[in-house]
Amino acid sequence: MKRVAILGGGPGGAFAAEQLASAGLGVILFDEKLAWEKPCGGGLTYKAYSQYPFLIENTTPKRFIRETVLAAPEAGEAILKLDDPLVIYSRLDLNRMLLERAAATGAQIEKARVTEMRRCGAGWRLRAGSAWADADFCIVATGARNPLREVGTQLTPGDAMPALGYYVEGDQARIDIQFLPQLQGYVWIFPRCGHLSVGICGKGEPASSLRKRLETFMTERGIPWKGAPFYSHLLPSLDFASWRDNRVSGEGWMAVGDAAGLVDPITGEGLYYALRSADLAARTLLCGAAEKVNHYRQLLRRDFTADLEFGSRLARRVFRGRFLLSSVPERMVQFTRRSPRFSAIMQDLFAGKQPYSSLKRRLLRNLNGSLYDIGMSLGFSRLVPARR
Ligand SMILES: Cc1cc2nc3c(=O)[nH]c(=O)nc-3n(C[C@H](O)[C@H](O)[C@H](O)COP(=O)(O)OP(=O)(O)OC[C@H]3O[C@@H](n4cnc5c(N)ncnc54)[C@H](O)[C@@H]3O)c2cc1C
């Protein structure tokens, strides 16, 4: 392996470039924009920065958020303290930092759009801008709108959701998450350095209808949106059945991040999975696994895709299911408000410490305790015998 070409310089591509170049491989990375403000909340969970501490140990501007307010229509609000804060970056800053780290390890960074990939013997010829480049292997990191049809995941309309919003003036110390009726998604207010990002994502609903819902929400909250910069993009959200044959690798290439569909189907978290898959792709190349195509797929599955697959089975129930004669989001807000045990589970979900595969077991194990907490908080203490 002499030269690896990385197509796309977002978090996935930049981190793969850093890993491979620092191990001594020749790396050329192409991005049509280089560092840019990609539509994104920019939120990094504990799971991300505990595994990759450089994400917080740096001088790039960022915010540490220690409180989230969850709200649902008939349930009011619940404050969720975050012992493990969420870290929020502007994407321009985050992408720039990651590209600079890649360049510092010796990766060659080129501002060019890759428009064509041709197999050439065991390697590749790539058309990048007006020039051609040769490579022995390609890492595909072109994001959710990957224009290269022969490589990366094949997103169907059922495997993605629109995500859109406004950047508005303002500041607040907390994150807001608002659930809405019959929406498989949510509205967010994320405080960034110098402004707020207010957005919505929703599966199975057209972008125009999501935009209307968001504007109604903002008007009701007194958040001015007319004239504010608007953003919209696509968020991979693979259906359960799509994980099995998800095209993450092929002869001479591996896809990372959004280009491989690697996004949490419930929370929409994708930054961690872009970094992690880049790390695993780099390890696959560096260990010289004879069967790279399968090796990478197996690494992904063992590491996190089995859990995301599980999450995609839960997603509809989380947002649109019913529990104890109410909607699940309403119950989630009420339980978070009244039960410290349930609140601890929600905290772990936010931090990325609670896998979906063991969530049901933990919820059931804690159900009696959570109901007990709720009874106590409602003033039933004299009716309920003290627990040891
Ligand atoms: C509205 C919204 C909010 C989000 N909020 C969060 C959040 O708070 N936290 C979180 O973890 N995730 C969030 N996500 C998901 C997150 O943005 C993505 O998962 C993440 O950006 C994936 O990184 P990536 O490197 O795979 O792709 P991208 O960041 O999309 O990078 C792809 C890069 O490839 C380049 N490119 C594309 N095609 C070509 C080509 N042909 N030639 C050269 N370059 C090309 C692009 O210019 C781009 O720089 C959000 C997504 C959306 C849409």
Side-chain angles (χ1 to χ4, degrees):
M1 186 73 51
K2 290 188 196 106
R3 184 144 108 141
V4 180
I6 304 203
L7 321 183
F15 197 48
E18 178 188 336
Q19 301 293 303
L20 292 170
S22 63
L25 288 194
V27 173
I28 182 164
L29 177 151
F30 298 103
D31 193 294
E32 56 185 331
K33 299 182 188 141
L34 294 181
W36 65 295
E37 191 57 60
K38 192 231 156 185
C40 180
L44 283 166
T45 56
Y46 169 83
K47 180 173 54 187
Y49 61 77
S50 60
Q51 264 183 70
Y52 303 112
F54 76 85
L55 290 169
I56 50 173
E57 292 163 4
N58 61 64
T59 55
T60 305
K62 59 187 132 349
R63 295 196 60 169
F64 290 83
I65 304 296
R66 298 176 191 281
E67 190 175 292
T68 297
V69 175
L70 301 174
E74 302 294 325
E77 292 184 350
I79 295 174
L80 185 66
K81 297 275 176 213
L82 303 177
D83 289 341
D84 304 304
L86 194 81
V87 176
I88 299 185
Y89 280 96
S90 117
R91 280 299 301 271
L92 176 68
D93 290 337
L94 178 64
N95 285 23
R96 187 187 293 131
M97 176 178 84
L98 292 167
L99 284 168
E100 282 173 1
R101 286 176 61 92
T105 58
Q108 182 186 341
I109 312 284
E110 294 292 334
K111 185 171 186 188
R113 179 176 171 80
V114 178
T115 51
E116 203 179 326
M117 295 172 73
R118 274 191 206 161
R119 204 73 171 119
C120 188
W124 296 94
R125 289 218 83 198
L126 306 170
R127 185 195 284 273
S130 55
W132 286 91
D134 294 320
D136 298 304
F137 200 90
C138 286
I139 302 275
V140 181
T142 39
R145 288 186 175 144
N146 173 23
L148 304 162
R149 313 277 9 124
E150 306 304 317
V151 290
T153 191
Q154 294 164 297
L155 288 183
T156 65
D159 289 326
M161 57 177 156
L164 53 93
Y166 289 96
Y167 298 120
V168 297
E169 284 179 18
D171 189 22
Q172 62 181 47
R174 65 190 213 200
I175 288 170
D176 283 88
I177 301 288
Q178 172 76 49
F179 300 105
L180 296 178
Q182 305 304 314
L183 176 68
Q184 189 173 328
Y186 57 91
V187 168
W188 66 84
I189 306 178
F190 267 33
R192 313 271 295 266
C193 293
H195 64 274
L196 301 175
S197 165
V198 187
I200 187 169
C201 59
K203 193 159 179 183
E205 196 165 317
S208 55
S209 142
L210 289 174
R211 189 168 178 174
K212 264 196 202 117
R213 283 196 195 241
L214 179 66
E215 288 168 357
T216 305
F217 166 83
M218 292 174 78
T219 304
E220 284 168 6
R221 282 285 189 105
I223 304 172
W225 51 269
K226 283 187 184 142
F230 176 74
Y231 60 82
S232 85
H233 210 277
L234 204 61
L235 203 48
S237 176
L238 265 56
D239 266 346
F240 177 66
S242 304
W243 283 104
R244 209 191 50 197
D245 298 323
N246 187 23
R247 203 174 56 174
V248 294
S249 53
E251 259 333 292
W253 64 270
M254 286 182 270
V256 301
D258 283 15
L262 304 176
V263 172
D264 185 315
I266 297 180
T267 62
E269 177 181 11
L271 288 171
Y272 168 73
Y273 298 109
L275 296 169
R276 187 72 187 150
S277 55
D279 192 353
L280 298 178
R283 284 186 212 185
T284 304
L285 265 186
L286 293 171
C287 80
E291 278 285 317
K292 288 190 182 66
V293 174
N294 285 329
H295 185 78
Y296 176 55
R297 174 181 285 279
Q298 281 161 10
L299 274 188
L300 284 177
R301 187 156 182 83
R302 229 177 293 144
D303 201 279
F304 65 83
T305 58
D307 202 55
L308 294 189
E309 184 177 323
F310 202 91
S312 65
R313 261 212 312 223
L314 295 181
R316 193 178 160 81
R317 263 181 282 166
V318 167
F319 292 107
R320 302 189 62 173
R322 296 192 64 79
F323 181 64
L324 297 176
L325 302 176
S326 202
S327 77
V328 170
E330 283 162 3
R331 288 296 180 221
M332 228 150 56
V333 172
Q334 290 161 339
F335 276 42
T336 303
R337 188 166 58 233
R338 298 203 175 273
S339 166
R341 282 166 244 238
F342 189 81
S343 182
I345 298 175
M346 290 299 284
Q347 274 215 36
D348 286 352
L349 275 171
F350 265 76
K353 289 171 162 181
Q354 172 59 56
Y356 292 126
S357 55
S358 56
L359 178 61
K360 188 172 167 191
R361 212 175 328 128
R362 184 167 171 203
L363 284 170
L364 286 175
R365 216 176 42 232
N366 280 273
L367 185 60
N368 281 346
S370 299
L371 291 172
Y372 174 84
D373 290 344
I374 292 166
M376 297 299 273
S377 80
L378 289 171
F380 294 164
S381 52
R382 266 167 284 144
L383 304 177
V384 184
R387 278 167 69 102
R388 260 176 271 144

